Amino acid sequence: MIKWVGIKSWDKCGICLAYFKQGIQHENSLHCYKLGIPIVNLKIPLEEFVRILKEKGYVGKYSVFSFPLSIFSKGVVILYFESEEEMRKAINELKEYVKDEGKEKWFYNTFVNVDWIDGFNYRRGCPEYDKFGDWRSWKT
């Protein structure tokens, strides 16, 4: 079980999950851009990065993974955005803290189905929502 620590709450997940359980793709998923930052890609300590995110008002969460998941990834910071434009603005603002590492790309590509911009990975909606088709082909 992954233990998540909140940075600032994204209050759109509840209704999206409820619809998912009914087999319906909720519109929130179409306006949900998740930016993942593997902890191994941080240039500064996680605690310092989280402090910066809180100061800047970012919405998200993080987890330091335990065994056996830690074999594949040390953990990840996930930030939420309503548009690709907002997400890309955040990448530009945060790139000084993130190195372009490929150490854990296989894990995230395989199990989370992401694309990459330098050391950041991203996708739309939750990985479970891929049952409605690949997120790259969802309407905007």
Side-chain angles (χ1 to χ4, degrees):
M1 181 88 180
I2 297 175
K3 181 181 175 192
W4 294 102
V5 178
I7 296 170
K8 184 176 176 186
S9 181
W10 178 255
D11 40 348
K12 298 182 181 204
C13 297
I15 192 164
C16 211
L17 179 60
Y19 272 70
F20 175 80
K21 289 179 179 177
Q22 296 174 41
I24 301 168
Q25 183 173 13
H26 192 273
E27 184 161 326
N28 282 357
S29 68
L30 302 176
H31 306 286
C32 175
Y33 288 79
K34 291 184 175 183
L35 184 63
I37 306 153
I39 291 172
V40 297
N41 291 11
L42 293 176
K43 292 180 180 177
I44 60 176
L46 174 62
E47 297 77 19
E48 186 178 341
F49 188 63
V50 169
R51 181 187 54 75
I52 290 166
L53 295 174
K54 286 181 178 181
E55 286 175 3
K56 293 181 179 287
Y58 281 103
V59 176
K61 61 186 179 182
Y62 68 93
S63 182
V64 176
F65 298 155
S66 59
F67 184 81
L69 196 54
S70 62
I71 293 170
F72 305 106
S73 176
K74 300 304 175 208
V76 67
V77 176
I78 297 177
L79 302 177
Y80 297 90
F81 302 93
E82 290 200 26
S83 71
E84 184 175 356
E85 181 181 344
E86 288 177 7
M87 180 192 73
R88 289 183 181 274
K89 181 180 175 195
I91 289 170
N92 285 331
E93 186 173 79
L94 299 171
K95 66 184 174 186
E96 70 182 279
Y97 307 110
V98 179
K99 54 190 169 188
D100 187 8
E101 289 280 325
K103 293 179 181 177
E104 296 180 353
K105 277 190 175 182
W106 173 85
F107 172 78
Y108 291 98
N109 288 344
T110 303
F111 295 104
V112 191
N113 187 21
V114 296
D115 281 344
W116 293 84
I117 298 174
D118 300 323
F120 300 85
N121 64 60
Y122 69 95
R123 65 163 292 125
R124 292 169 69 194
C126 291
E128 297 84 1
Y129 258 67
D130 284 353
K131 83 175 196 175
F132 300 113
D134 189 284
W135 60 270
R136 295 166 192 91
S137 64
W138 294 348
K139 68 178 182 172
T140 54

